[in-house]
Amino acid sequence: MNRCILRCSHFLLLNAFSFTRYTDGSKWKFLEHKGPVFAPPYEPIPSNVKFFYDGKHMKLSPGAEEVATFFAKMLDHEYTTKDIFRKNFFKDWKKEMTAEERAKITDLKKCDFTEMSEYFKAQSEARKAMTKDEKLAENERLLQEYGFCIMDNHRERIANFRIEPPGLFRGRGDHPKMGMLKRRIRPQDIIINCSKDSKHPEPPPGTKWKEVRHDNKVTWLVSWTENIQGSIKYIMLNPSSRIKGEKDWQKYETARRLKKCVDRIRTQYREDWKSKEMRIRQRAVALYFIDKLALRAGNEKEEGETADTVGCCSLRVEHIKLYPENEGLEYVVEFDFLGKDSIRYYNKVPVEKRVFKNLQLFMENKEPDDDLFDRLNTSVLNKHLQELMDGLTAKVFRTYNASITLQQQLKVLTSADENIPAKILSYNRANRAVAILCNHQRAPPKTFEKSMQNLQAKIDAKRDQLSDAKRELKSSKADAKVRRDEKSKKAVETKKKAVQRIEEQLMKLEVQATDREENKQIALGTSKLNYLDPRISVAWCKKWGIPVEKIYNKTQREKFAWAIDMADDDFEF
DNA sequence: CGTGTGACTTAGGATCAGGTGC
DNA sequence: GCACCTGATCCTAAGTCACACG
């Protein structure tokens, strides 16, 4: 108990009304760390590993060779067959070549990287063969040395203390910059953030940091500017840290405040569907989508800089279709667009007549690539939301709807008389309902079909085993009836137990199969980690006597330590 | 109000490690 | 003892949103 108090006291002493340690906007008073771990320097490949151009061996200069190895390492990936990837890569590669190389190497198709590729495959095989002690030792040393910092009297785990190594940029979806060279980050690119009175991290010998600053209004320890989009990257703390935990808690408290006023907000936006002002109607319909369908806000994006994806406010006319009647339902809207990470959102939903009529109006005289909500953007929408509730933004609706759905579904799906595996299936189904709402998809695992077959084979075997056991039970019963002695009675009991055990095992396997099948293309992790108030899950575990380890693994328990300590079995979101 | 920037959360895929079944 | 599979962890891209500036 004591340990628990010590562990959580650093922010559980605060309450829901004062989340943060400091009232002046500072995030910490003391911060000390060792700086980042740089990517290992380039190791030239052995001279017997050859690169061929137009069938002829060619020794590359170190700079050109390094970039060539980046491509070679990706040879098995579909990426390297894509035109844009190849074009971007070749352009950036040429920049690293010597003048002679550039003059000679003019066609990527004539480049043969296969020896390099084989070499790296062999290397990774060799690495696999290393004993785990060898691998672990180096990792552990780096982790202990660089993986922690001191922030306000606590030793905290750092999330990403390694600098991203150079390589070829892999964007998601149809990214116009895929294949570009992501350059190596050097000490002179690095900004260090720490407190003045801390021991500052030293740059590697003979190098200098770009800057050392002492900004306690931010939470990052290290930053640098990345060369593909020109955006800033950060080294920050692990989710188990006080600073991340408090923020997470705060996020769910904001969503709970939305719960209290969501009815009012819904009434209001329904009212606004009738507004005389187009701007307000658009705002109200967009908000309805965000609330009902858990769409993301949808910021504008710079054309040509990223893949063409949209969210609610950036939907275009081409992304929806209107059906006055469809499959026996009235006023159906069909959504089909690429959202974050170029994940497809496809949904057909019946909507209120007013919404439907408004959409028709918004689409009048527009081209397919015109904005659906031409009088709206995320900034306008969020300003409006801020007026409706302090701290309300578009994404709060996702958090709110995800969490409230989990809580409701758990109530509906959990039945008291089921055993633990069945209850966990119910939990996963509730989790799945949320993942579907939030459109959290995954590529079906490559081995899915096979592993499903394996599981089915196990189930069949278990069924056979069960019928054998039942037959044995039956005959032992018959036997006992004839003999009427203690020994045969006992035998019946034993057989009965065996049947029960096998039935339980079979049921467990069947549950597992159902769970896996239903989960084929759905990712549960994202909602569990980012949208579901962990106190709902903790309360559910406590209520039904489910060990919390069945729901959260070690990392998740660390991240949600605050909730595990805080929530009782009667917690209501 | 529009635009750019910075800080932070959310996201799926790749890779790793450890357990399981043969 | 080993191959295989799965869940955990790592990686870093891609979002959200506030705020400064003109």
Side-chain angles (χ1 to χ4, degrees):
Chain A
M1 215 359 112
N2 241 346
R3 217 197 57 215
C4 158
I5 290 166
L6 276 178
R7 175 156 57 88
C8 54
S9 63
H10 55 285
F11 61 93
L12 287 191
L13 291 177
L14 308 168
N15 63 41
F17 302 102
S18 69
F19 293 107
T20 39
R21 211 109 287 259
Y22 309 109
T23 49
D24 61 350
S26 58
K27 307 287 173 68
W28 45 265
K29 293 294 178 207
F30 182 80
L31 174 61
E32 182 170 281
H33 59 90
K34 293 288 184 65
V37 172
F38 288 94
Y42 176 62
E43 275 183 40
I45 51 173
S47 55
N48 63 325
V49 179
K50 291 173 189 143
F51 165 76
F52 298 93
Y53 185 72
D54 207 7
K56 288 186 271 299
H57 172 218
M58 193 175 161
K59 174 75 189 159
L60 296 171
S61 64
E65 185 189 271
E66 180 178 8
V67 178
T69 65
F70 297 155
F71 194 85
K73 283 178 183 169
M74 298 172 87
L75 222 48
D76 286 339
H77 203 288
E78 205 210 331
Y79 270 107
T80 55
T81 63
K82 293 189 176 172
D83 270 359
I84 301 174
F85 189 96
R86 296 174 68 88
K87 196 180 118 266
N88 286 333
F89 161 71
F90 199 48
K91 188 174 163 208
D92 281 0
W93 187 27
K94 281 202 252 179
K95 290 182 204 156
E96 304 302 314
M97 293 178 189
T98 62
E100 299 88 79
E101 286 167 339
R102 206 163 19 243
K104 202 160 170 193
I105 303 174
T106 55
D107 185 355
L108 183 55
K109 282 204 293 290
K110 293 181 179 166
C111 295
D112 180 353
F113 302 96
T114 45
E115 279 199 12
M116 285 182 174
S117 173
E118 295 302 323
Y119 170 71
F120 291 120
K121 274 184 216 162
Q123 285 237 307
S124 80
E125 283 306 310
R127 236 192 92 74
K128 265 186 211 153
M130 271 166 70
T131 68
K132 65 174 182 208
D133 295 355
E134 289 172 295
K135 279 191 277 187
L136 239 65
E138 174 66 357
N139 274 343
E140 193 55 30
R141 197 184 61 76
L142 283 177
L143 175 67
Q144 288 309 324
E145 167 102 30
Y146 295 97
F148 295 85
C149 74
I150 304 289
M151 183 179 275
D152 292 353
N153 306 317
H154 286 275
R155 185 167 183 258
E156 304 266 34
R157 183 82 190 270
I158 298 168
N160 55 324
F161 54 89
R162 288 167 209 268
I163 301 268
E164 297 171 18
L168 304 183
F169 176 75
R170 313 152 81 116
R172 318 242 168 98
D174 272 331
H175 201 296
K177 298 194 172 187
M178 65 167 80
M180 282 174 63
L181 176 64
K182 212 172 95 161
R183 61 169 240 286
R184 181 179 290 275
I185 304 301
R186 307 150 304 172
Q188 64 261 40
D189 302 314
I190 294 290
I191 302 173
I192 298 288
N193 193 34
C194 61
S195 55
K196 257 185 208 145
D197 57 349
S198 74
K199 193 165 167 288
H200 300 184
E202 288 294 329
T207 66
K208 281 192 172 141
W209 301 124
K210 181 178 181 183
E211 186 191 332
V212 176
R213 67 171 76 154
H214 311 290
D215 181 358
N216 74 351
K217 301 284 191 284
V218 298
T219 66
W220 54 267
L221 320 185
V222 173
S223 76
W224 71 92
T225 301
E226 149 278 334
N227 70 301
I228 302 289
Q229 319 275 358
S231 66
I232 307 168
K233 300 257 184 163
Y234 303 94
I235 291 182
M236 290 187 192
L237 297 194
N238 199 64
S240 62
S241 60
R242 183 219 99 211
I243 206 147
K244 295 290 184 188
E246 276 179 13
K247 199 77 188 298
D248 209 34
W249 176 26
Q250 185 175 27
K251 174 181 79 185
Y252 291 113
E253 287 306 312
T254 305
R256 291 175 86 197
R257 282 194 290 117
L258 173 57
K259 183 190 179 190
K260 290 186 193 147
C261 62
V262 72
D263 287 341
R264 189 193 87 217
I265 290 170
R266 285 172 177 161
T267 308
Q268 150 120 226
Y269 68 60
R270 298 173 69 92
E271 204 51 41
D272 286 346
W273 293 341
K274 299 179 260 180
S275 170
K276 284 192 283 291
E277 276 188 77
M278 183 63 106
R279 182 179 65 87
I280 291 177
R281 285 196 190 203
Q282 291 194 356
R283 196 179 69 193
V285 171
L287 184 51
Y288 168 75
F289 286 162
I290 284 168
D291 183 20
K292 184 184 173 76
L293 305 174
L295 300 191
R296 295 188 184 82
N299 284 310
E300 295 107 302
K301 305 169 75 184
E302 219 178 318
E303 212 174 320
E305 293 294 298
T306 60
D308 177 19
T309 62
V310 298
C312 185
C313 293
S314 50
L315 279 170
R316 299 190 296 261
V317 168
E318 61 196 326
H319 295 131
I320 65 167
K321 270 192 194 145
L322 303 181
Y323 300 96
E325 211 213 290
N326 185 278
E327 291 162 12
L329 296 167
E330 278 189 311
Y331 308 122
V332 172
V333 184
E334 182 183 47
F335 292 82
D336 192 352
F337 62 89
L338 297 182
K340 182 176 180 179
D341 294 318
S342 293
I343 296 292
R344 184 178 179 202
Y345 183 92
Y346 180 83
N347 201 0
K348 257 185 189 176
V349 272
V351 300
E352 280 81 341
K353 183 176 178 183
R354 272 224 166 79
V355 171
F356 195 86
K357 296 285 168 195
N358 271 317
L359 289 170
Q360 285 179 323
L361 184 66
F362 305 160
M363 291 165 80
E364 249 171 42
N365 304 317
K366 281 189 190 169
E367 298 296 319
D369 62 349
D370 286 338
D371 285 339
L372 177 65
F373 302 116
D374 52 299
R375 309 281 174 89
L376 185 71
N377 60 44
T378 54
S379 160
V380 169
L381 178 66
N382 280 333
K383 278 206 187 84
H384 172 64
L385 294 175
Q386 180 59 45
E387 283 164 16
L388 298 180
M389 186 193 102
D390 181 42
L392 187 60
T393 63
K395 84 186 186 89
V396 178
F397 281 89
R398 255 168 98 81
T399 312
Y400 161 71
N401 279 308
S403 287
I404 202 76
T405 300
L406 178 76
Q407 181 167 285
Q408 275 168 354
Q409 288 296 302
L410 284 177
K411 274 194 187 132
V412 173
L413 297 173
T414 315
S415 42
D417 49 359
E418 282 178 328
N419 60 15
I420 291 188
K423 285 207 177 78
I424 290 169
L425 175 64
S426 298
Y427 181 90
N428 287 341
R429 283 184 162 155
N431 192 165
R432 196 140 49 230
V434 176
I436 290 167
L437 175 72
C438 294
N439 200 39
H440 291 143
Q441 297 188 26
R442 61 166 184 176
K446 282 185 205 77
T447 54
F448 185 83
E449 289 310 328
K450 209 171 88 195
S451 86
M452 219 51 212
Q453 279 169 12
N454 289 347
L455 193 55
Q456 194 54 51
K458 267 195 207 171
I459 290 174
D460 293 343
K462 196 52 83 179
R463 285 224 175 93
D464 292 346
Q465 201 186 337
L466 181 63
S467 54
D468 288 350
K470 277 185 173 164
R471 200 172 329 110
E472 283 178 39
L473 172 63
K474 211 173 169 184
S475 75
S476 75
K477 269 184 181 164
D479 197 37
K481 221 173 184 175
V482 180
R483 297 201 194 193
R484 298 180 174 279
D485 63 353
E486 273 310 304
K487 197 180 160 201
S488 53
K489 250 190 211 166
K490 249 193 193 144
V492 171
E493 280 312 305
T494 315
K495 300 283 179 202
K496 230 182 221 166
K497 284 228 175 80
V499 167
Q500 266 175 14
R501 204 187 58 231
I502 296 166
E503 271 174 341
E504 228 163 75
Q505 289 169 340
L506 175 62
M507 149 103 137
K508 216 169 160 178
L509 286 173
E510 281 173 334
V511 160
Q512 203 185 345
T514 312
D515 211 17
R516 199 182 293 178
E517 184 64 47
E518 289 177 2
N519 239 10
K520 185 176 177 181
Q521 301 198 65
I522 298 166
L524 300 186
T526 304
S527 50
K528 206 177 202 178
L529 233 47
N530 299 302
Y531 288 102
L532 301 176
D533 188 329
R535 291 169 295 184
I536 299 169
S537 301
V538 171
W540 180 84
C541 284
K542 289 190 176 160
K543 181 170 177 191
W544 300 108
I546 313 275
V548 80
E549 298 78 40
K550 299 271 187 194
I551 298 299
Y552 291 137
N553 67 29
K554 183 168 145 284
T555 315
Q556 294 164 339
R557 291 197 300 277
E558 280 166 12
K559 167 165 176 167
F560 297 134
W562 60 272
I564 293 170
D565 288 330
M566 197 189 285
D568 293 322
D569 62 354
D570 61 351
F571 173 82
E572 277 276 328
F573 175 78

